[in-house]
Amino acid sequence: MIAAKNSYHLVYDVQTELQVEDTIYGRSLRLDQLLPYNHPPILVPILQLVSSPDYIASYWRWVLVGFCFVVASAILMERILNALKWALGLRLLLLISVLSFYPVFVGLLKGQDSFFLVFGGMIWFYGMVRGKDWAAGLGLAMTVIRPQVALILAVPFIFNRCKVWWWFVAAAALLVLYSISLIGLRGVTDFIHLTIISAAGQGFGLNEIGMFNFTGMVLRFFPVMPVGLLHGLGWAVFLAALVGLSILWKISPTLHIRYIVLAACLSLFASPHLHFHDLGFLLIPFLGLVVIAGNKEQTRAASDAVLDVPHPRKEFNLKPIHWAAFLLAGSLLMLFAELWDPARYTAPYLLMAILPLAAWKLEKLQTKSQFHSR
């Protein structure tokens, strides 16, 4: 309603949002009852296009937009698998598993914007595997839909394959300039204020104890922990992840796929703000495992690939159907966890730990088997 009146500069103004919601609910709300719009300005024109006074119709139009981005993500995955010489039927099998990945489905069902994060991550991974630094940088720029995730993923590239970093900076700068032109400096200031509140996990119904990151985990174990100490630990983990990945990037002559899997999982765990629908980003490390385990001798056919994809020996060959089943199993695990409260938070953390460990072990085994086969 605010954007429809061409008051873009007030989109992130808390008092204006409160007045609008008062009108919708037909009663006065307290400030702590406000559900603010805290998504990036670049989404405002898209939301304006799909929105109308008919809430249900607007919702379904927005879901359609999200579904198109999920399909685009699946197409990018298909191109990667095609480069690995997977048969069409097997590629389609894995793509069906992608489209039915439970956190992605939840994000669409709830009308969230996490599909932008997934799409950006898929472009990033595609660029890394295919040696296209410009695509990797642009993909990272799309992940600024979650700025805290984008920073952990992008900053290490200052120290290795810095072209990715500069493409990210250029694209992100364009997004910032567009945002300023759309909502003005006042709107940008209000947006930054709301982003800080979101990162802190406090206020406006953000429900920090229900998040799937480090701070959410600590708060569930120690519910009476002082907020200052909790957030101090959270930001310490965030900085440790950022510095740790930067060091790994710096000392590594080659960015192996296992590093990408690790970075994707770590960016979720260390993010100061993370809800269940953002776990759709786990599709990226799942895809990393698929690429590592690619069992075709034509793996090197993707001649412009710059990530290390070793030739596995026969005993380490895992059929594509197994990886489609693995992805489906991960999806079912999180669905089951949603239905059984004791496992609700265990399953996502388990996947964040298992995926990097599996990637590390599998790539090491394949490298070792390749060495012994010479």
Side-chain angles (χ1 to χ4, degrees):
M1 292 179 66
I2 299 173
K5 297 178 181 178
N6 293 320
S7 300
Y8 290 99
H9 62 290
L10 296 176
V11 167
Y12 298 102
D13 181 74
V14 172
Q15 292 302 322
T16 302
E17 291 185 351
L18 191 60
Q19 291 173 9
V20 170
E21 291 195 15
D22 284 348
T23 302
I24 294 173
Y25 285 105
R27 59 185 178 85
S28 296
L29 300 176
R30 299 190 311 272
L31 186 62
D32 61 347
Q33 294 176 313
L34 175 67
L35 295 176
Y37 175 76
N38 58 356
H39 304 279
I42 56 175
L43 294 185
V44 174
I46 301 175
L47 287 167
Q48 193 173 3
L49 283 174
V50 302
S51 298
S52 70
D54 188 335
Y55 176 82
I56 300 299
S58 300
Y59 164 78
W60 283 113
R61 285 191 288 267
W62 178 246
V63 170
L64 179 61
V65 170
F67 182 74
C68 289
F69 274 90
V70 172
V71 170
S73 301
I75 291 173
L76 279 173
M77 179 178 280
E78 191 278 334
R79 294 195 63 181
I80 294 172
L81 299 179
N82 187 45
L84 296 177
K85 305 300 180 182
W86 279 34
L88 176 60
L90 294 173
R91 298 201 306 269
L92 292 177
L93 180 62
L94 191 73
L95 295 179
I96 291 172
S97 298
V98 169
L99 294 175
S100 60
F101 193 53
Y102 184 61
V104 173
F105 170 77
V106 169
L108 289 174
L109 185 66
K110 293 185 176 181
Q112 296 293 335
D113 59 5
S114 48
F115 51 81
F116 283 102
L117 179 66
V118 174
F119 183 58
M122 200 65 71
I123 296 175
W124 168 58
F125 188 86
Y126 175 81
M128 293 299 296
V129 172
R130 302 293 289 165
K132 302 180 186 295
D133 289 347
W134 62 269
L138 293 180
L140 287 177
M142 280 203 68
T143 65
V144 297
I145 201 81
R146 300 291 183 271
Q148 63 277 15
V149 172
L151 282 175
I152 290 182
L153 296 178
V155 169
F157 285 98
I158 296 174
F159 307 98
N160 197 332
R161 289 184 67 176
C162 60
K163 287 184 179 179
V164 175
W165 165 256
W166 289 117
W167 275 104
F168 164 76
V169 170
L174 288 176
L175 292 176
V176 170
L177 291 174
Y178 174 72
S179 299
I180 293 174
S181 68
L182 185 67
I183 63 176
L185 290 175
R186 173 184 172 180
V188 171
T189 301
D190 290 338
F191 171 66
I192 292 174
H193 174 66
L194 282 178
T195 301
I196 292 173
I197 292 175
S198 297
Q202 298 297 312
F204 301 135
L206 291 174
N207 188 28
E208 189 171 31
I209 199 170
M211 293 185 182
F212 293 82
N213 51 9
F214 169 79
T215 52
M217 180 181 69
V218 172
L219 190 57
R220 285 187 292 275
F221 276 111
F222 306 100
V224 296
M225 177 177 287
V227 172
L229 176 58
L230 175 68
H231 293 157
L233 290 173
W235 283 110
V237 169
F238 178 86
L239 291 175
L242 190 64
V243 172
L245 290 175
S246 296
I247 293 173
L248 182 61
W249 261 232
K250 177 68 175 178
I251 65 176
S252 303
T254 302
L255 294 181
H256 302 272
I257 295 179
R258 62 180 181 267
Y259 296 171
I260 307 304
V261 173
L262 173 64
C265 292
L266 198 55
S267 69
L268 295 177
F269 179 72
S271 172
H273 179 95
L274 192 84
H275 287 294
F276 184 81
H277 49 83
D278 294 320
L279 294 175
F281 196 68
L282 287 174
L283 280 176
I284 309 306
F286 265 115
L287 179 57
L289 279 180
V290 169
V291 173
I292 292 172
N295 67 330
K296 298 293 185 181
E297 286 300 319
Q298 298 93 333
T299 294
R300 295 283 186 187
S303 58
D304 55 344
V306 296
L307 293 183
D308 185 22
V309 186
H311 295 291
R313 292 179 66 189
K314 184 176 181 181
E315 60 264 37
F316 295 117
N317 286 347
L318 296 175
K319 294 180 180 180
I321 192 171
H322 295 156
W323 290 103
F326 183 40
L327 179 56
L328 182 60
S331 181
L332 290 175
L333 176 64
M334 284 188 280
L335 172 60
F336 171 73
E338 284 282 283
L339 300 176
W340 188 43
D341 196 59
R344 174 176 172 78
Y345 297 102
T346 306
Y349 290 117
L350 191 62
L351 287 176
M352 289 182 207
I354 287 177
L355 289 171
L357 291 174
W360 215 269
K361 185 66 174 178
L362 185 59
E363 204 166 44
K364 286 290 188 180
L365 284 173
Q366 290 186 352
T367 302
K368 183 178 179 180
S369 67
Q370 182 184 9
F371 174 78
H372 287 299
S373 66
R374 290 176 180 174

